Amino acid sequence: NAGVTQTPKFQVLKTGQSMTLQCAQDMNHNSMYWYRQDPGMGLRLIYYSASEGTTDKGEVPNGYNVSRLNKREFSLRLESAAPSQTSVYFCASRGPGAPMNTEAFFGQGTRLTVV
Amino acid sequence: AQSVTQLGSHVSVSEGALVLLRCNYSSSVPPYLFWYVQYPNQGLQLLLKYTTGATLVKGINGFEAEFKKSETSFHLTKPSAHMSDAAEYFCAVSGFDDYKLSFGAGTTVTVRA
């Protein structure tokens, strides 16, 4: 079982470049999430998708867009990268069904550096 | 909206000593509470969760946590620390009517030989 798979694992971008972080889960979960992790700040929610076809903003959505391509895949796009977006990005999924009392499964993370 | 506050960003304990990590929550509705652990350069994995029922919850690796509604707390304990417990620990909360899962700032545990 692969669980939650994120690509790429590492990326260096120049300021102003764009890129898409990919996430796929094979657990038939309805809900998917994107977080960023910065030292001393824990995990902050960027966007989430309660179910296929829906997306909602989290705590820190500015500078990001998301696409819930299908039930398995949830991508995060940086249209014009800024140094403040240097971070470790985690994708997670929960479910099945209404996920509120279920655990989240996490990918291994994408370490992004914007120079 | 729900949130959690973890008291203490770093905790240092001796091997064999009690580990106590503090988490307080704020929620307008009955919360679901979680503790996760993150080892270096890895994703997060679940230690334990409280949903309903028994307020003392046992998890993996000898950890347990007690839900105290009167104190809005969900502190994590382990009676005897092991070197392998060195990691970062996160408390998280989810409301029963909300798909969001919100995390605290994390507590880094170091274990001294």
Side-chain angles (χ1 to χ4, degrees):
Chain A
N1 259 350
V4 179
T5 302
Q6 291 183 236
T7 55
K9 289 185 170 51
F10 299 94
Q11 184 71 48
V12 178
L13 287 180
K14 294 182 179 179
T15 298
Q17 286 185 317
S18 62
M19 79 161 296
T20 299
L21 281 63
Q22 306 286 353
C23 175
Q25 53 92 8
D26 62 3
M27 295 172 283
N28 199 35
H29 287 168
N30 286 331
S31 300
M32 298 185 73
Y33 304 78
W34 276 106
Y35 292 90
R36 61 178 288 173
Q37 183 179 22
D38 303 289
M41 305 190 76
L43 277 77
R44 292 182 292 169
L45 183 63
I46 305 172
Y47 272 94
Y48 66 104
S49 171
S51 60
E52 185 179 356
T54 69
T55 60
D56 287 284
K57 294 178 180 179
E59 304 167 60
V60 289
N62 291 345
Y64 305 95
N65 285 301
V66 291
S67 296
R68 182 74 182 265
L69 304 170
N70 47 55
K71 190 170 186 178
R72 290 187 63 248
E73 299 172 285
F74 188 39
S75 63
L76 178 71
R77 182 160 179 85
L78 287 70
E79 291 291 352
S80 179
S84 61
Q85 295 178 304
T86 294
S87 187
V88 181
Y89 291 85
F90 286 99
C91 177
S93 70
R94 297 171 85 190
M100 296 76 161
N101 63 351
T102 64
E103 69 174 287
F105 290 84
F106 284 81
Q108 290 297 297
T110 296
R111 189 172 297 273
L112 175 68
T113 302
V114 183
V115 297
Chain B
Q2 58 274 356
S3 64
V4 289
T5 301
Q6 291 184 240
L7 301 176
S9 58
H10 290 89
V11 169
S12 180
V13 298
S14 298
E15 194 172 19
L18 172 72
V19 179
L20 171 61
L21 305 182
R22 300 179 187 274
C23 174
N24 288 90
Y25 69 89
S26 171
S27 177
S28 58
V29 297
Y32 301 121
L33 293 158
F34 307 81
W35 275 100
Y36 286 84
V37 61
Q38 184 182 34
Y39 298 102
N41 299 315
Q42 293 189 25
L44 280 71
Q45 63 183 85
L46 183 73
L47 276 176
L48 50 80
K49 67 178 182 181
Y50 169 77
T51 54
T52 58
T55 56
L56 182 62
V57 180
K58 294 187 185 299
I60 62 171
N61 300 339
F63 284 93
E64 63 181 36
E66 186 170 12
F67 172 67
K68 292 187 176 181
K69 186 176 179 180
S70 61
E71 299 178 8
T72 61
S73 69
F74 190 57
H75 301 332
L76 181 71
T77 60
K78 182 173 180 178
S80 177
H82 190 271
M83 297 299 287
S84 61
D85 295 325
E88 190 162 17
Y89 294 79
F90 294 93
C91 183
V93 64
S94 182
F96 80 89
D97 61 350
D98 192 337
Y99 286 85
K100 292 182 197 174
L101 180 62
S102 300
F103 286 82
T107 299
T108 300
V109 173
T110 57
V111 182
R112 306 185 303 273

